[in-house]
Amino acid sequence: MKELKDIKSYNLKELKEEIQQLGEKPFRAGQIYKWLHVDKVETFDEMTNISKDLRQKLSDEFEIRTLEPVKVLISKIDGTRKYLFRIKGGTIIESVLMRYHHGNSVCISTQSGCRMGCRFCASTLNGLDRNLEPSELLEQIYQIEKNIGEKVSNIVLMGSGEPLDNYDNVTKFLELITDENGANISQRNITLSTCGLVPKINELAMKHLQITLAISLHASDDETRRKLMPIANKYTIDEVLEACRNYFKETGRRITFEYSLVAGENDTIVEADRLAARIKGINCHVNLIPVNPIKERNFVQSGKRAVLDFKRRLEKYKINVTIRREMGRDINGACGQLRNEAMKGE
Ligand code: SAH
């Protein structure tokens, strides 16, 4: 069988070329693009201003890739929703909707699985399954919008996977989701979180996007960081911080540092002092995350007291700090745990 092309992963320019190759006028591409990314239809037959003949030609060449929601869990506490979607090939990915006063925020997965191996993270336990296509990144948002009948205004790339390890698809997704002719979500409402792939951070900086870059730092010295995150064997904290300074220089965007607090591993006052000294001078914000224990590892969450002390210590140095609010506690599992359970159950 002929491999169908994934039409939702094309930008308008590429779609125009494809449509011309079918012997059609380029303006048709604009109409089709709007059906896909504004009206978010799932079949060619719904494209009512396109002739039957062209609709047939399109379905001979292209597929409209969609994600099938296999489960939705809704928190009774705050309305947070966790979605499990089946992707082409059969595996399952996870996305989360968080409802805030300022709008709907969705946390998407960028890969099925992950190969970064962070010790405390459930997403990486079974390694990488595959990269997600731009269409599959978009679909996590489009399907959630359909499910709730409301628009999504904010996106965080903080689900399973390392976004910069799927660089081409992720940057294509960023282009599509922020396109004013398409879904039109503001760049400023998007945060990309990375474990710190230095060359890719520098490459992203040169795109001069207005998205927020979040760095999973989780330690104030290389030795501790290497214990928690294998990627720290490849890039030192100094190299990561240099890339952050460069990102700020190129984009003017304040950096977010994520720091998951693990009892007895990285949560002492000495470490808060060292962290403060290292990030001094970087226009940044620190987000503290009490680690969410996963049953496969014996990491323990820092106590409330330790988290508060860590926060106050950083604030003493005039660093902007927040503690991540736990959303959907009743449906919670650490990132990727739900997915792992769903896949085991099959
Ligand atoms: N790969 C990217 C994005 C995915 S994870 C990255 O590393 O940034 C999003 C954030 O959650 C990262 O900071 C990650 O380190 C953190 N995280 C993953 N598992 C966690 C857990 N069990 N408890 C607390 N934070 C966790």
Side-chain angles (χ1 to χ4, degrees):
M1 220 175 74
K2 180 167 135 189
E3 180 81 25
L4 295 173
K5 297 181 203 167
D6 172 11
I7 195 164
K8 218 181 270 170
S9 290
Y10 289 89
N11 64 24
L12 188 52
K13 183 166 166 281
E14 292 161 343
L15 194 57
K16 275 188 184 145
E17 286 162 15
E18 291 285 331
I19 296 303
Q20 272 176 304
Q21 273 180 18
L22 293 178
E24 299 283 339
K25 296 247 164 25
F27 81 93
R28 293 283 174 210
Q31 294 177 319
I32 296 165
Y33 188 86
K34 181 167 174 292
W35 281 117
L36 292 171
H37 299 285
V38 179
D39 306 304
K40 299 164 182 160
V41 301
E42 298 186 5
T43 61
F44 290 114
D45 278 338
E46 290 165 83
M47 302 182 175
T48 47
N49 58 359
I50 305 288
S51 72
K52 257 203 148 131
D53 180 47
L54 177 53
R55 274 161 20 202
Q56 185 58 48
K57 273 201 236 174
L58 289 171
S59 51
D60 289 342
E61 288 288 321
F62 300 99
E63 62 171 336
I64 302 180
R65 209 180 265 214
T66 52
L67 292 182
E68 179 202 342
V70 287
K71 197 168 194 177
V72 185
L73 295 174
I74 306 176
S75 164
K76 291 194 183 70
I77 302 171
D78 53 28
T80 295
R81 295 185 180 205
K82 283 212 169 190
Y83 293 82
L84 292 178
F85 293 111
R86 188 178 306 285
I87 58 172
K88 197 173 171 176
T91 50
I92 285 174
I93 59 165
E94 193 177 319
S95 324
V96 185
L97 164 74
M98 289 154 290
R99 315 192 93 155
Y100 296 107
H101 292 303
H102 64 261
N104 292 312
S105 182
V106 169
C107 172
I108 64 168
S109 294
T110 53
Q111 297 178 309
S112 169
C114 183
R115 58 178 185 150
M116 295 297 128
C118 297
R119 303 282 304 153
F120 45 79
C121 181
S123 305
T124 198
L125 288 170
N126 298 312
L128 178 65
D129 168 35
R130 71 166 169 85
N131 282 330
L132 297 181
E133 297 296 325
S135 62
E136 293 168 327
L137 301 172
L138 292 167
E139 265 290 298
Q140 296 176 56
I141 293 146
Y142 294 180
Q143 288 294 336
I144 289 176
E145 286 185 334
K146 284 178 197 169
N147 182 267
I148 59 173
E150 291 172 26
K151 289 261 175 218
V152 165
S153 53
N154 293 66
I155 301 170
V156 292
L157 284 74
M158 284 191 191
S160 294
E162 167 49 49
L164 298 185
D165 189 39
N166 183 17
Y167 184 86
D168 291 345
N169 289 345
V170 164
T171 49
K172 184 68 163 291
F173 157 77
L174 293 173
E175 179 192 340
L176 291 168
I177 197 76
T178 57
D179 183 359
E180 19 181 68
N181 296 310
N184 196 18
I185 291 181
S186 163
Q187 288 184 12
R188 289 172 169 264
N189 292 354
I190 301 177
T191 298
L192 181 153
S193 175
T194 175
C195 64
L197 305 185
V198 168
K200 292 295 176 192
I201 296 173
N202 289 329
E203 204 175 326
L204 185 68
M206 294 319 287
K207 284 190 168 285
H208 300 112
L209 301 177
Q210 286 299 295
I211 65 169
T212 300
L213 180 69
I215 303 283
S216 299
L217 205 55
H218 304 325
S220 62
D221 65 288
D222 287 311
E223 197 189 329
T224 308
R225 194 163 191 263
R226 281 196 281 262
K227 274 198 234 155
L228 298 170
M229 307 171 71
I231 192 69
N233 291 303
K234 202 152 180 194
Y235 307 108
T236 63
I237 293 180
D238 279 342
E239 287 169 327
V240 172
L241 296 180
E242 194 47 42
C244 291
R245 288 188 191 92
N246 182 49
Y247 189 86
F248 180 77
K249 181 172 99 288
E250 293 296 337
T251 64
R253 298 292 291 163
R254 185 174 83 159
I255 305 290
T256 296
F257 291 114
E258 294 161 280
Y259 196 103
S260 294
L261 288 159
V262 188
E265 298 279 341
N266 64 358
D267 66 343
T268 62
I269 292 300
V270 175
E271 282 160 309
D273 286 342
R274 192 161 49 204
L275 176 65
R278 294 195 87 149
I279 62 178
K280 194 170 170 226
I282 300 179
N283 192 334
C284 71
H285 161 251
V286 175
N287 194 213
L288 299 175
I289 318 168
V291 81
N292 201 341
I294 60 174
K295 60 176 184 298
E296 292 81 357
R297 306 262 188 265
N298 51 0
F299 288 121
V300 178
Q301 196 174 80
S302 303
K304 270 209 178 81
R305 187 61 206 264
V307 174
L308 265 181
D309 285 350
F310 202 94
K311 175 171 187 271
R312 292 209 183 102
R313 194 70 176 194
L314 291 178
E315 282 169 345
K316 212 181 83 168
Y317 298 98
K318 308 265 179 295
I319 293 171
N320 211 308
V321 193
T322 47
I323 299 173
R324 182 170 300 172
R325 212 169 103 206
E326 201 183 352
M327 301 284 285
R329 191 173 326 139
D330 50 337
I331 54 166
N332 217 17
C335 319
Q337 244 174 28
L338 209 57
R339 167 182 186 268
N340 292 350
E341 270 156 35
M343 298 209 332
K344 250 190 259 148
E346 296 217 319

